Amino acid sequence: MDSLKGRIVDIVFQGEDTGYAIIRIFAESGEACVLTGTMPLINCGEYIEATGNWVEHPVYGRQFKVQSYEKTLPQSEDDVLVYLSSGVVKGVGKALARRIVRQFGEHTMDVIVEQPDRLAEVKGISLSKAREISESFVAQRAMQEVVTYFAQIGLSANVAYKVYNSLGALCLPLVQTNPYILANPEYKIGFRHVDQIAAQIGYDMDSPNRMEAALRNCLSAMSMNGHTCLEDHSLINTTADMLNADPECLLPVLENMLSARKLIGLDIDGHRRIYLPDLYNAEMGVAKRLLELVPAEFPDTEILERRLGRMVGNSFLCGAELSDEQLSAVESAICRGVTVITGGPGTGKTTTIRCMVELFEGSGLVVSLAAPTGRAAKRMTETSGAEAKTVHRMLEISYTDQTKTRFVFNRDRNNPLDADVVIVDEMSMMDIQLMEALLVAIKPGCRLVLVGDADQLPSVGPGKVLQDIMDSGICPVVYLTQVYRQAAESMIITNAHRINQGEMPICNVKDKDFYYIPAHSSETLYGKIITLCKDKLPATFGFNPATDIQIITPTRRGDAGVAELNKVLQQALNPKALHKTERKMGDVVFRVGDRVMQNKNNYDMECYRVGQIEAEYGVYNGDLGTIREINNASGTITVELTDGRFCSYDHSNIEELEQAFATTVHKSQGSEFPCVVLVLFGGPRMLQNRNLLYTAVTRARKLLVVVGLQETMATMVRNKSKSERMSSLREMLEK
């Protein structure tokens, strides 16, 4: 590890949300150097002492990559002037900085820290302004102390930045008094790491703080696997195993947390389930609000029923003849406060939604369409003919911090949605907290229609909302089972239903759309996928590899995982070339021409279309595109999305971009692609189940090619077990 000292003379880039910076310094050796890394709150004129490594950038040459750093205050009058003129101190601009330095000279920094009232001697500074200037400067110093302390205990400046933004000026004493504050999931440190830090600073390892943090960590970890709660004995035993402790020691700690409402207990049939407060409030909120919406009565029911009868009689309704099941679904939506519509592919869910939109809007009612993800919302817009939004956008999300991890919804109980009918598609993807936010924003007297396929993968977030509502029996559930003739001709649809019934798919039927190609080694697997994407699928079916073909796989790791497949496919489909600029980010090399995906919703991202002056806003989790330009001078990557919009990524949001020659089945949920190449090649047992295979197959619209091991496919068809999620929504609704 090398070290470097010098004065900061230029800040090339500084990310407010991540603390990442590119700076130039004038080193003690007399050399001008470029430093890169996480360096929050650095300013021109300050002196920095950094540790790290020298690296050779392919474009910019020699740079110093910072691992940790400390900074010291400027000493000379010139440096103090540069420092204060940089905007580091709130309320001090260049003109005022000159007056302050002229008044106090080289003693300026001492005056600001130790005698702030003396700043009022400067023309234009009141006593209150003087104290405000001093407080701003002290806050900067406090942040630097946090960064320095965190470096000593092995935590990055980026983590220090997050913790300081969360806890404020008392951050350091709070962490020193109880290091287990750092086990908060939003800091992404991990309980094991926090445990090591506590031991390092000599903290009492039998402290109740440690046990409380462990219990919360266990519940939080379980929520990542979809559970909203755990039974008390399971929580105690799992936590005791993690701590290598006696379960009896945890019992009084748990009881104290329950008494203090740090955790919530719920008795279900003589068994106590333990919740994190947020998840308990969400689940209870969903139950209460649904039970308020279900019994609603509507004065326009007869009018709508007569209109429906006329439309059906004239065969005018959405240009399609409704089956009895579909008609029952529409009638339920007319009469009942909450209706669930479920069915597999090809059973007419989309037609039913279109018919409801036509009926309700034709009667003067305001209809809002939504889906949990951006891709699902786009699909809903395309298939229904009416605008659909993500639930987040419909609820008018706004962020409360620069890192965009904390947010509020502007649509809520006090500002409900202006809708008479709300229709939500892809309900299997809806988690409990998003469902609560939606229900809170629905006004009394609004009809709610929930549409989804209960056999698909459950939500990424905690809960099993759709299944629990269906199982509770509190509202009508209309099952669409009839597969329509056109859909029945597709082997994709036919095989999806066969898989759902535990039967092996029928493959390689001539002139059909479902094929299987065996591959018994990773080399063979890669070769066949590459041949398909480069040659056979484009030549035979006319698919464009850059926009029409999507490789999906159950797993992220291993020979058939996303990480390895993306490396292999990039090399084959978009090889290195002199005219293709590259940029390395960790283990990934982005290259002009790469297929990429947005990995989180970003509602503020500016996008432009060719020939269009005004910007459009919003890029969604799962949106696909192609890298068109990498500008290493500005640090930007320009992506053309599949809908023709262009957007630019820089240091502040580059982590939202990932390669997408291949993606996981979970990530593809809610999307459809013209052609899917599904890779089945062993992998973790927990990912080899029927509903994952069913979800994967139903992502293909025109053609599906399975490549890999037939025994993996057979294992998935046989394994109907789903990872059971612990939740209490059904019981809450039943009671």
Side-chain angles (χ1 to χ4, degrees):
M1 195 79 73
D2 299 315
S3 63
L4 189 64
K5 294 181 182 179
R7 176 169 56 88
I8 300 172
V9 294
D10 186 26
I11 298 175
V12 180
F13 174 85
Q14 189 168 28
E16 291 184 1
D17 51 352
T18 63
Y20 181 87
I22 303 172
I23 67 173
R24 291 190 179 94
I25 72 166
F26 189 72
E28 287 183 341
S29 63
E31 181 185 7
C33 305
V34 174
L35 283 69
T36 66
T38 304
M39 296 175 281
L41 302 177
I42 44 94
N43 299 277
C44 286
E46 290 179 318
Y47 284 80
I48 188 170
E49 181 175 353
T51 58
N53 300 104
W54 289 101
V55 297
E56 192 69 28
H57 192 279
V59 176
Y60 303 114
R62 193 165 181 251
Q63 297 180 342
F64 192 80
K65 191 172 183 180
V66 175
Q67 296 296 322
S68 63
Y69 75 99
E70 292 185 28
K71 61 181 184 178
T72 57
L73 291 176
Q75 300 300 319
S76 71
E77 285 190 30
D78 288 344
D79 287 346
V80 170
L81 180 58
V82 171
Y83 173 72
L84 290 180
S85 298
S86 69
V88 58
V89 179
K90 183 180 178 183
V92 178
K94 292 182 179 180
L96 185 54
R98 279 195 296 271
R99 294 204 301 273
I100 293 173
V101 174
R102 192 181 303 128
Q103 178 79 18
F104 301 112
E106 62 184 19
H107 302 295
T108 297
M109 303 314 301
D110 293 331
V111 170
I112 291 174
V113 176
E114 298 170 8
Q115 299 173 291
D117 289 359
R118 286 196 61 197
L119 290 171
E121 298 172 14
V122 178
K123 184 180 177 181
I125 300 181
S126 64
L127 188 59
S128 61
K129 172 94 170 171
R131 290 171 180 170
E132 182 184 316
I133 290 171
S134 179
E135 288 168 3
S136 172
F137 176 74
V138 169
Q140 293 279 337
R141 293 291 299 275
M143 176 64 212
Q144 182 56 45
E145 286 181 25
V146 172
V147 170
T148 303
Y149 179 77
F150 273 38
Q152 292 169 355
I153 61 175
L155 294 174
S156 70
N158 199 14
V159 171
Y161 198 55
K162 287 181 184 176
V163 176
Y164 184 82
N165 280 341
S166 175
L167 300 180
L170 294 176
C171 167
L172 210 51
L174 285 171
V175 169
Q176 290 168 334
T177 303
N178 177 15
Y180 289 96
I181 283 178
L182 298 173
N184 187 326
E186 79 174 79
Y187 304 145
K188 297 182 180 177
I189 299 174
F191 182 82
R192 293 291 184 198
H193 194 169
V194 176
D195 227 16
Q196 291 169 2
I197 291 169
Q200 177 184 333
I201 66 174
Y203 195 75
D204 179 10
M205 303 307 280
D206 292 325
S207 166
N209 287 333
R210 179 174 185 249
M211 297 182 192
E212 284 193 11
L215 288 164
R216 277 194 302 267
N217 178 79
C218 184
L219 283 172
S220 181
M222 290 299 113
S223 74
M224 300 293 182
N225 293 326
H227 304 285
T228 62
C229 57
L230 284 179
E231 289 196 348
D232 53 6
H233 64 87
S234 177
L235 173 61
I236 288 287
N237 291 333
T238 304
T239 307
D241 288 345
M242 183 175 72
L243 296 178
N244 194 23
D246 184 348
E248 295 294 323
C249 298
L250 289 163
L251 287 171
V253 177
L254 175 59
E255 295 303 328
N256 287 337
M257 293 181 77
L258 292 168
S259 298
R261 303 289 287 179
K262 294 178 180 178
L263 299 178
I264 309 295
L266 179 68
D267 184 78
I268 300 288
D269 299 328
H271 298 280
R272 188 170 60 173
R273 297 179 182 180
I274 310 298
Y275 283 84
L276 292 167
D278 285 354
L279 290 176
Y280 173 82
N281 292 334
E283 206 156 73
M284 186 62 76
V286 168
K288 287 181 177 179
R289 192 71 188 102
L290 280 172
L291 292 171
E292 291 169 356
L293 291 171
V294 163
E297 296 182 358
F298 306 99
D300 57 357
T301 296
E302 290 186 12
I303 297 171
L304 287 166
E305 286 179 331
R306 287 198 296 271
R307 178 177 171 81
L308 176 63
R310 289 195 300 273
M311 294 172 80
V312 171
N314 294 331
S315 297
F316 176 68
L317 192 62
C318 66
E321 185 175 341
L322 294 185
S323 69
D324 290 343
E325 292 172 342
Q326 290 173 313
L327 188 59
S328 174
V330 178
E331 288 173 339
S332 178
I334 291 173
C335 303
R336 305 297 293 270
V338 180
T339 297
V340 174
I341 302 170
T342 187
T347 57
K349 295 191 297 295
T350 297
T351 300
T352 306
I353 291 173
R354 274 207 319 270
C355 292
M356 287 190 291
V357 171
E358 186 175 326
L359 172 66
F360 288 127
E361 287 189 341
S363 303
L365 298 179
V366 177
V367 180
S368 289
L369 304 183
T373 68
R375 294 288 297 177
K378 283 183 180 178
R379 259 186 69 209
M380 195 180 187
T381 298
E382 293 162 0
T383 56
S384 69
E387 183 189 10
K389 299 178 179 179
T390 65
V391 176
H392 289 82
R393 173 149 279 187
M394 187 171 74
L395 297 179
E396 298 176 10
I397 188 173
S398 63
Y399 295 99
T400 58
D401 70 332
Q402 291 179 333
T403 60
K404 296 186 178 180
T405 54
R406 298 193 190 103
F407 58 83
V408 294
F409 291 116
N410 295 320
R411 292 289 184 172
D412 55 20
R413 186 175 283 102
N414 299 317
N415 182 29
L417 294 166
D418 182 23
D420 303 304
V421 183
V422 173
I423 303 174
V424 186
D425 198 8
E426 295 288 358
M427 270 297 300
S428 63
M429 302 174 71
M430 182 79 84
D431 66 56
I432 192 68
Q433 289 169 306
L434 187 57
M435 186 65 175
E436 184 207 16
L438 172 65
L439 293 178
V440 164
I442 292 178
K443 65 186 180 183
C446 177
R447 295 172 167 92
L448 177 63
V449 182
L450 308 175
V451 184
D453 185 344
D455 293 313
Q456 285 198 25
L457 291 171
S459 59
V460 174
K464 46 190 175 89
V465 176
L466 178 61
Q467 194 64 59
D468 279 344
I469 294 172
M470 291 172 60
D471 292 345
S472 72
I474 63 154
C475 64
V477 178
V478 181
Y479 293 86
L480 303 181
T481 59
Q482 179 181 333
V483 179
Y484 287 84
R485 184 175 59 82
Q486 185 176 357
E489 292 174 357
S490 164
M491 294 308 297
I492 294 172
I493 303 297
T494 299
N495 283 331
H497 288 279
R498 286 180 64 87
I499 290 165
N500 215 13
Q501 294 159 12
E503 300 173 7
M504 282 292 286
I506 300 169
C507 307
N508 301 339
V509 177
K510 187 179 178 182
D511 297 328
K512 290 293 184 178
D513 55 8
F514 193 113
Y515 294 90
Y516 166 68
I517 298 173
H520 298 282
S521 69
S522 55
E523 290 75 16
T524 305
L525 180 77
Y526 301 150
K528 292 191 174 181
I529 294 171
I530 290 166
T531 301
L532 281 169
C533 294
K534 285 184 71 173
D535 303 319
K536 290 191 175 179
L537 294 175
T540 307
F541 299 96
F543 290 127
N544 182 342
T547 56
D548 298 334
I549 304 170
Q550 183 61 53
I551 293 89
I552 63 176
T553 178
T555 180
R556 284 198 166 274
R557 304 297 172 199
D559 290 344
V562 165
E564 196 59 36
L565 285 172
N566 273 318
K567 287 180 185 176
V568 170
L569 290 164
Q570 183 193 46
Q571 186 176 346
L573 302 178
N574 188 35
K576 189 180 184 70
L578 287 174
H579 66 281
K580 295 178 183 176
T581 314
E582 295 181 352
R583 180 167 169 195
K584 192 167 190 284
M585 296 292 296
D587 295 332
V588 177
V589 175
F590 287 116
R591 183 177 296 148
V592 169
D594 276 356
R595 185 175 173 89
V596 288
M597 177 186 285
Q598 174 79 11
N599 62 28
K600 65 183 286 190
N601 291 338
N602 185 334
Y603 298 94
D604 301 324
M605 175 82 88
E606 284 190 2
C607 302
Y608 294 89
R609 296 184 188 274
V610 175
Q612 182 174 302
I613 298 175
E614 291 188 3
E616 299 178 24
Y617 292 89
V619 183
Y620 304 109
N621 188 357
D623 277 357
L624 290 163
T626 304
I627 294 178
R628 296 304 183 197
E629 181 185 35
I630 297 177
N631 187 327
N632 283 317
S634 63
T636 58
I637 295 179
T638 302
V639 172
E640 181 183 4
L641 301 173
T642 52
D643 62 6
R645 295 181 299 157
F646 288 81
C647 56
S648 183
Y649 294 80
D650 58 26
H651 294 290
S652 66
N653 57 15
I654 191 66
E655 291 181 353
E656 297 175 12
L657 200 63
E658 62 184 52
Q659 283 183 329
F661 296 101
T663 189
T664 61
V665 178
H666 282 85
K667 200 73 173 176
S668 70
Q669 196 174 359
S671 302
E672 271 190 355
F673 308 98
C675 175
V676 167
V677 176
L678 172 59
V679 180
L680 299 180
F681 196 72
R685 176 72 179 176
M686 63 180 291
L687 295 175
Q688 294 186 36
N689 56 57
R690 187 182 298 173
N691 71 327
L692 190 142
L693 178 59
Y694 172 80
T695 301
V697 166
T698 53
R699 298 311 92 206
R701 188 161 63 243
K702 295 180 179 178
L703 183 70
L704 177 80
V705 183
V706 180
V707 183
L709 301 171
Q710 190 167 27
E711 50 263 41
T712 299
M713 183 159 54
T715 298
M716 296 177 82
V717 170
R718 288 194 301 269
N719 183 13
K720 67 177 181 179
S721 67
K722 301 178 183 178
S723 53
E724 285 302 318
R725 296 184 166 197
M726 176 71 77
S727 73
S728 308
L729 178 59
R730 176 179 63 82
E731 290 87 346
M732 290 176 178
L733 290 169
E734 288 174 345
K735 292 186 177 182

